[in-house]
Amino acid sequence: MDMKREEVDRSKLSPGMKQYMEIKDNYQEELLFFRLGDFYELFFEDGIIASRELELTLTSKNAGLDERVPMCGVPYHSVKPYIEKLIDKGYKVAICEQLEDPKKAKGMVKRGVIQVISKGTIVDFDMLNEHDNNYIASILDYQTSYIVTYTDISTGYLALMEIEKNKSKLLSSILNLGIKEIILSDDSDKELIELLANNYGIEVDISSDYLEKEYEEIYSDIKDIKYITGIKHLFYYLVVKQLKDLSHVSGVEIVKLDDYLEMDIHTIRNLEIVETIRLKERMYSLLWFMDKTKTAGGSRLLKNQLLQPLKDINAINKRYDMIDTLREQFLVKEELMVLLDEVYDLERLCGKIYGGSLNARDVLQIKNSLKVFPQIKEKIKELKFDFDLVDENKLYKLLDDAIYENPPITLNEGYLIKDGYNKELDELKAIRSGGKEFIASLEEEERERTGIKNLKVGYNKVFGYYIEISKGQIGSVKEEFGYERRQTLANAERFVSPILKEKEALVLNAEEKIIELEYNLFCEIKESLKKEVFNLKANAAAISQLDVLVSLATIADDYSLVRPELLQERRIEIIEGRHPVVERVSKFEYVANDCMMSDKDNTMLITGPNMSGKSTYMRQLAIIIIMAQMGSFVPCRSCKIPVFDKIFTRIGASDDLVSGESTFMVEMLEARNAICNATRDSLILFDELGRGTATYDGMSLAQAILEYVNNKIKCKTLFSTHYHELTELANKNEGIKNIHVEAIEKDGKVTFLHKVKDGAVDKSYGIHVAKLAGLPNDVLSRAQEVLNRYEKLSKSKNNKELSEQVTFNFDVATDDKVLEKLKDIDPLNITPMEAMNLLYELKELSKE
Ligand code: ADP
């Protein structure tokens, strides 16, 4: 069955299939879910893909052609997990519904696509992670900049930023925001398209259409034509291609990147701000440590704020003030936490009001959230914060009066509306229950009238109400009872009577009307919600803000964080600083360390054995700065820091963002990025720079970079290294200071104290670490031997200051070759013959 849709002779098709073909013509890229009664069916190639991806049986349908058409079906009431799975696998799904009641339709039932869903446009709660926004973006490529317009349609948030024409900056922004789907115009850079789609699994759509007129009010205040074009580009795709209603989008936020502390994607990854490097999980990230929010909206806002620390001292201090207030009034804070816990995901509920799938349980969630508003309002007033909630008492009363407490998910089986809300509905319900009562009492009456003791009145879906008489009693049924036989069972007969039919009609008629009326009343309530949606969104935003502040105050209390003091001058004075995540996770006591840099200190050169805590110390400083600038208290005893404009890091093995570059190339690219973009107000962390290449090569580069950064850029830099030679630089250059992480050696064992002290170390502990790692003793003792020789050699021949001369001794370089060779030998896996050969080779090398 590999019949292709394109090759079909359409004139032969059955009318139903013709309708399918016409609709499918407009949705070629999507998998079309075509509603047929109780099923969604997928035909032709769509059916084959669905059956493969969803592991469903591929069947076929007679469509008037010689061959049967491949088909795959999913029951309509359990369609969600299937759609979820397909979208997760990167497909787009178009949902085609019956647009009229098949019972009432004349001829073919009208059908049409009601919405298209793709990765970037999901609104369904179950398919979204409540902690993350789900963005779709348009990127337009102008002469001097990129315009990135992005929205989370599940919340109605719309934002726009202009990024300078630099592909790695663009990429960093896209990855930082976690954008799932991107719309590019058809003249876009092919390389960019491929990069996004292949390396990052981002869904890329190409479209060069722009939505005119509709939703103009959203951008009526914007002057810049580039911005307007960005919005129109994004909206065309959403409104025309995906049939989304964007009425809940209240405006557009112009994000000025310059207002925020700049961190590229390497920095965010290296510092494990929102996920860990190895497992790419939220657990054990800084965000995980900081997030004590109670609401989904709060959790998302916290993440966004952490990725966009501020630069404006006043704005940051304002956040500190509010945290202080919450800590002082800790009873209010505790009460607020209880209240916030009652609030559902209001932002996304607002999205659902327009997204079309709002059900009565969602409305109950809105109601239950509104219920605690008056108390939250009260608390905000007590705290004297400068934001407030819009009063929603009227809406709350409406919902409380109207919505039944335990409603079903669907809207077409009634039980949505409470008694007493609508007179007509109450009357219909009375008729229905009157009828039901009558039928219930009929059993007793009929038993008496007919004298048949075990006569029963029952109900089933196919035959409706019936009178059941067991086989043994059938003889007692008389003509005059007026019973009409309906159904024969193994041991009983079922009948109907005129009076039963009459009452049944009444009940069923009332039932039908009730369902219809309840549905209409629900739609009216939805209209009231639509009118309130902007107020609801404003309230949701205020609640998220409050939730974040409460969360920040909570971690300040729980983990002994202190309020930073932000300085105008470039001085760092952190007493007993800690890395909050390592401290929380480590089994051992955390060793707090100071970080002191005067206005004149630019660079701290950190030496110390591997595993002593150099990179933790560097990360700790960056994390304290990021926390401080996002408005949080920080882990230390006291903290005085200036406001930084950018943070650059070159730490550990970093993954290659662009394309198949070598590790060393990536290292150099990152170093270049830092050097070219850092200003005096930036922070740079270089961890073991230059280790990706041969020793002297790496050391020379490290020194050159260090001197450049220290003498030209003069930004604050932490530079860890195992080249002890570099520590000499402190004597030659103003602004460079040596520090080291202490370790003690006793009986051939090393203990790491993790304590940072002034001055340099003069010893590497690499061999000890190798020992800890369990390398064979033979290798360790040989390494010690080689080291001793090497050290002796460098003392006798090379005692001059390397830092100054960088004229390396070639004897050492030769020895290096021998060493390299030796390193490659695995003594446990070598034959005597190979050993002989190697010995010979080594001898030759030593002659060189
Ligand atoms: P280096 O960069 O010197 O190789 P790391 O910074 O990676 O060392 O630290 C190695 C390990 O030591 C970390 O995983 C951490 O568990 C522990 N550590 C580092 N600094 C401290 C500290 N100040 N207090 C306690 N443990 C620490």
Side-chain angles (χ1 to χ4, degrees), residues 97 252 261 361 410 440 467 484 490 507 550 567 605 682 823:
E97 287 292 351
V252 52
L261 170 67
R361 290 188 196 171
T410 53
I467 295 165
E484 211 178 293
V507 170
V550 170
L567 308 171
L605 197 58
S682 307
K823 264 198 223 151

Side-chain angles (χ1 to χ4, degrees), residues 180-215:
K180 297 278 177 5
E181 188 171 353
I182 289 176
I183 307 140
L184 296 168
S185 58
D186 50 16
D187 55 355
S188 296
D189 183 346
K190 294 278 171 306
E191 200 185 308
L192 181 67
I193 298 176
E194 273 168 24
L195 191 66
L196 292 172
N198 301 339
N199 292 25
Y200 301 107
I202 295 171
E203 179 75 38
V204 177
D205 311 295
I206 309 292
S207 152
S208 290
D209 292 301
Y210 302 86
L211 190 73
E212 298 300 333
K213 294 273 178 303
E214 264 179 280
Y215 298 110

